């Protein structure tokens, strides 16, 4: 399995988001706002939860593993896009969270 660093994740995520913005302009006449991106992330996060329930035998659904893998990846992508759009350094945010939480525990 290939390794992905934060810089590559950010670069590829931003490029994919640019392509989606082009589709949004073509279909709706405007790009999604940051708020709309956040709502899309929350939708995918909810699907992660539903697929986890299915994987754990608590919700009947087929093809769970593939969809769960996809939605976890998509959720990471959305968080990366949101951080970039709001000028938040995702590496620092993750490091700060980990360091603070490690100290608490």
């Amino acid at each position: 399995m290939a390794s992905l660093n934060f810089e590559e994740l950010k670069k590829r995520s931003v490029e994919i988001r640019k392509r989606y913005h082009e589709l949004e302009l073509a279909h709706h006449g405007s790009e999604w706002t940051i708020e709309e991106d956040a709502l899309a992330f929350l939708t995918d996060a909810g699907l992660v939860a539903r697929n986890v329930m299915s994987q754990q035998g608590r919700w009947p659904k087929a093809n769970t593993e593939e969809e769960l893998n996809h939605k976890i990846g998509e959720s990471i992508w959305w968080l990366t896009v949101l951080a970039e759009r709001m000028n938040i350094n995702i590496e620092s945010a993750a490091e700060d969270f980990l360091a603070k939480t490690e100290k608490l525990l």
Side-chain angles (χ1 to χ4, degrees):
M1 180 188 297
S3 175
L4 182 67
N5 65 43
F6 273 111
E7 284 306 314
E8 185 178 359
L9 174 64
K10 289 189 306 187
K11 181 181 174 190
R12 291 170 66 187
S13 293
V14 167
E15 187 58 39
I16 290 169
R17 191 67 191 100
K18 283 180 187 176
R19 292 181 189 171
Y20 277 115
H21 281 313
E22 291 169 6
L23 291 172
E24 293 155 8
L25 283 169
H27 292 285
H28 307 291
S30 64
E31 296 178 356
W32 280 10
T33 64
I34 293 171
E35 294 90 340
E36 288 170 312
D37 280 359
L39 287 170
F41 161 67
L42 290 174
T43 299
D44 287 329
L47 291 170
V48 168
R50 179 56 52 91
N51 284 311
V52 166
M53 288 177 66
S54 178
Q55 183 201 47
Q56 297 298 307
R58 304 299 288 175
W59 188 263
K61 191 166 190 296
N63 204 17
T64 299
E65 292 296 325
E66 184 178 327
E67 285 188 37
L68 180 56
N69 187 57
H70 179 84
K71 286 300 173 188
I72 287 174
E74 190 170 16
S75 293
I76 293 167
W77 173 76
W78 272 123
L79 289 172
T80 304
V81 165
L82 287 165
E84 286 294 302
R85 289 193 73 188
M86 294 183 293
N87 297 315
I88 295 171
N89 182 308
I90 196 166
E91 297 101 323
S92 295
E95 175 56 37
D96 292 349
F97 166 79
L98 292 171
K100 187 182 291 184
T101 304
E102 289 166 340
K103 285 180 183 178
L104 288 172
L105 301 176

